[in-house]
Amino acid sequence: MSKTLVAYFSASGVTAGVAKKTAEACGGDLYEIKPEVPYTSADLNWMDKKSRSTVEMNDKAARPAIADMVSGMEGYDTVLIGFPIWWYTAPRIIETFLESYDFSGKQIAVFATSGGSGLGGTEADLQAVCKGSAKWLPGRLLPGRVREAEVAAWLSEINLEKK
């Protein structure tokens, strides 16, 4: 029996809502990727060149620490990873997540929320840092106020309908 994990990082709660709808739609388990040091509103001020998020996003080697590891990652066949788009790509903590586990033999798909930009080269960026040889399924940019039908359509396209 196939088992799905919906892992997500959400700084403002928008991506969390989309992740919850996604987990419900596919019957997957939900895991929040929490930074060891939570982000403050000042950390997220993208207009401040010295804010934590700006500094991290300008440093391709930055890897913010994750508070807790996924228990039983080896038991999941499919991992859906959600995040907001920051500076036209995934936040660096998603790279931390992908480097923290061996994804060999698993299917991975990403979903993102954004205030204005698309996925762009995000999937290729993440595939380059992913540990292990995973099969990557097509990702999707989903609106913050996503309808269940939109999530269901994407999951159907990647053959992850609720069983």
Side-chain angles (χ1 to χ4, degrees):
M1 181 172 176
S2 178
K3 194 169 177 190
T4 301
L5 176 68
V6 178
Y8 71 94
F9 166 71
S10 186
S12 66
V14 173
T15 305
V18 174
K20 288 173 187 168
K21 286 184 181 178
T22 302
E24 289 170 9
C26 70
D29 295 335
L30 199 58
Y31 165 77
E32 182 177 2
I33 301 168
K34 293 180 188 174
E36 193 171 88
V37 177
Y39 289 93
T40 65
S41 57
D43 290 336
L44 299 171
N45 181 0
W46 60 271
M47 294 178 66
D48 178 357
K49 292 182 178 169
K50 294 181 180 177
S51 74
R52 177 177 162 199
S53 59
T54 301
V55 170
E56 287 175 0
M57 294 309 292
N58 284 326
D59 179 1
K60 290 186 184 268
R63 295 296 185 270
I66 295 173
D68 299 305
M69 298 295 281
V70 173
S71 177
M73 177 62 94
E74 63 282 349
Y76 293 101
D77 303 302
T78 302
V79 181
L80 305 178
I81 306 169
F83 48 84
I85 295 290
W86 284 6
W87 289 260
Y88 307 102
T89 193
R92 299 283 179 229
I93 197 165
I94 300 302
E95 293 169 323
T96 305
F97 179 78
L98 286 168
E99 292 172 347
S100 297
Y101 304 93
D102 183 354
F103 289 93
S104 295
K106 297 185 187 312
Q107 296 184 113
I108 296 176
V110 299
F111 62 94
T113 58
S114 173
S117 59
L119 282 175
T122 303
E123 291 173 288
D125 293 345
L126 296 178
Q127 287 175 24
V129 300
C130 181
K131 190 174 166 187
S133 57
K135 177 184 178 187
W136 285 74
L137 305 172
R140 179 69 57 95
L141 185 67
L142 296 168
R145 295 180 184 217
V146 69
R147 295 185 335 262
E148 290 176 16
E150 291 173 283
V151 173
W154 172 55
L155 294 174
S156 177
E157 287 172 21
I158 60 173
N159 295 316
L160 283 181
E161 301 93 5
K162 196 173 192 175
K163 308 263 186 279

